[in-house]
Amino acid sequence: MRSLRCALLVAATLGASCVAPALANMPADATPVQAERVAAGLRQGMPLEDVRKLLGNPKRMTIRSEGSSVSDATRSTQQWTYTWAGTSGNATLRVEFGSKVPPAWNVTSWEWAGP
């Protein structure tokens, strides 16, 4: 029984070390060119958590609702803004999520600005 627990612990540790790099696709000091390569993995309809795994946490986030109150909201949008510094200037990526029923956010569009 003890050897089974040890084997499970080793398997869990190895599994976690294999998965962890996949969760951080964007290097902390990424250039705009590297960011564009990683962001090529964005897909319309992609869930919010998959975007976080691909690009990391955004620099800024905004949320808007259509309707006069939260209970009346017919559609909500959330925008994540990422910024990378490069030698020729900053590059900004805006990813927009839509949801009729939060928290089911999915990518609706994205846009690059900068060099």
Side-chain angles (χ1 to χ4, degrees):
M1 185 65 144
R2 186 174 186 184
S3 62
L4 178 61
R5 278 190 243 164
C6 289
L8 289 173
L9 179 62
V10 169
T13 305
L14 288 175
S17 65
C18 293
V19 172
L23 297 179
N25 289 331
M26 186 67 65
D29 59 345
T31 66
V33 172
Q34 291 169 319
E36 278 193 68
R37 286 186 189 130
V38 173
L42 283 172
R43 299 287 178 255
Q44 199 156 11
M46 180 181 270
L48 182 136
E49 282 307 313
D50 288 353
V51 174
R52 189 183 314 270
K53 289 174 187 176
L54 183 69
L55 300 171
N57 289 323
K59 300 281 186 208
R60 272 181 276 151
M61 182 187 334
T62 59
I63 298 176
R64 290 183 296 264
S65 292
E66 295 174 13
S68 58
S69 70
V70 174
S71 61
D72 292 343
T74 56
R75 179 163 167 71
S76 297
T77 58
Q78 186 173 158
Q79 187 179 76
W80 286 8
T81 304
Y82 296 89
T83 304
W84 294 276
T87 55
S88 60
N90 290 342
T92 301
L93 173 63
R94 288 182 193 87
V95 181
E96 186 139 325
F97 300 88
S99 177
K100 288 189 178 187
V101 184
W105 299 101
N106 295 307
V107 173
T108 56
S109 64
W110 60 93
E111 176 184 22
W112 282 97

